[in-house]
Amino acid sequence: MRIIAALLLTAIPILAEDSKFFSADAKVEKLWGEGSFTEGPCQGPDGCIYFSDIGNRIMKFDKEGRLIACEGANTGGNRRISITEKDGKVKSLAETYMGKRFNSPNDLTLDSKGRVYFTDPRYTGNDKLELDTQSVYRIDADGKVTLIAGVTPDATARVKAGELVNYVAQQVGGKGGGRPDLAQAGGSQPQNLAAALESVAAWVASKLS
């Protein structure tokens, strides 16, 4: 139950006062605007901003300055986690779990030990799925892939992401919604978020009972 709630809540951005993050005289400057589906911006060790223009791809630099990326199932994607070495060579960190190809790796982050955590939903692509869950995985330094949490189709049929994020958003002065497996929300009262998240377990339990 907690696993399901944790996964479905990953797409809830909570809006705070802008002044806490930006100076009062900050201005938005358009640097480039010719992409079709830009995602995954990250700042490299050289100070440049790197991003993708294929969708479903989030990138991070590790402590050694190597670029780690989620490659989705859309055009140009290879359904894997890749790493670009400093010399420009690209190789796979992981492509499968239990011998089955990932759905469409989408978001990733690194912990203090350099391990890679990533989500594996399926938002786009026509390739046949080999896994029956949408999950979160971890890649260790030795290349071992560990399943952290997963959601099966029968779970999303009963616990819909759109309803869940909207339930939380209403408690933080906002609203939200989306598909059974993909949703987003926002709110203007982030101080209420902790209490709102505490109420999720009971809400999910009521849907599964």
Side-chain angles (χ1 to χ4, degrees):
M1 178 173 63
R2 292 182 180 178
I3 289 176
I4 295 171
L7 278 174
L8 296 181
L9 283 168
T10 55
I12 303 179
I14 301 299
L15 304 179
E17 296 179 13
D18 290 344
S19 60
K20 294 181 180 180
F21 302 96
F22 306 101
S23 60
D25 59 350
K27 296 181 179 179
V28 177
E29 179 183 358
K30 183 178 180 179
L31 300 179
W32 181 76
E34 293 156 24
S36 59
F37 198 139
T38 56
E39 276 200 333
C42 64
Q43 182 175 355
D46 55 1
C48 294
I49 301 298
Y50 293 80
F51 64 94
S52 63
D53 188 30
I54 61 172
N56 285 346
R57 190 177 184 193
I58 303 298
M59 304 182 290
K60 299 287 184 182
F61 280 92
D62 66 9
K63 294 180 179 180
E64 298 179 36
R66 301 174 301 177
L67 183 64
I68 301 175
C70 282
E71 297 190 22
N74 48 292
T75 302
N78 293 303
R79 294 168 63 183
R80 66 176 182 172
I81 305 299
S82 65
I83 183 168
T84 302
E85 300 287 353
K86 292 182 179 180
D87 60 5
K89 293 182 179 178
V90 181
K91 64 180 182 181
S92 292
L93 280 183
E95 298 183 12
T96 63
Y97 175 70
M98 301 289 286
K100 298 180 179 180
R101 291 194 68 191
F102 296 127
N103 301 325
S104 184
N106 187 65
D107 288 290
L108 66 81
T109 190
L110 286 74
D111 66 12
S112 59
K113 296 181 180 180
R115 297 178 298 184
V116 180
Y117 292 80
F118 68 96
T119 60
D120 186 39
R122 187 56 178 270
Y123 300 147
T124 186
N126 298 316
D127 297 339
K128 182 179 179 181
L129 293 179
E130 298 178 21
L131 294 164
D132 59 2
T133 62
Q134 298 189 55
S135 307
V136 176
Y137 298 94
R138 185 188 71 222
I139 306 174
D140 295 335
D142 61 2
K144 178 183 178 181
V145 178
T146 301
L147 174 66
I148 302 301
V151 173
T152 56
D154 62 307
T156 55
R158 301 167 67 186
V159 182
K160 295 179 173 59
E163 295 177 359
L164 174 55
V165 298
N166 188 52
Y167 167 76
V168 173
Q170 289 178 5
Q171 298 179 64
V172 294
K175 60 182 180 179
R179 303 183 337 209
D181 62 343
L182 173 65
Q184 62 181 3
S188 59
Q189 300 168 10
Q191 68 275 13
N192 297 335
L193 180 58
L197 293 178
E198 284 291 331
S199 70
V200 167
W203 185 90
V204 172
S206 69
K207 297 294 182 179
L208 296 177
S209 61

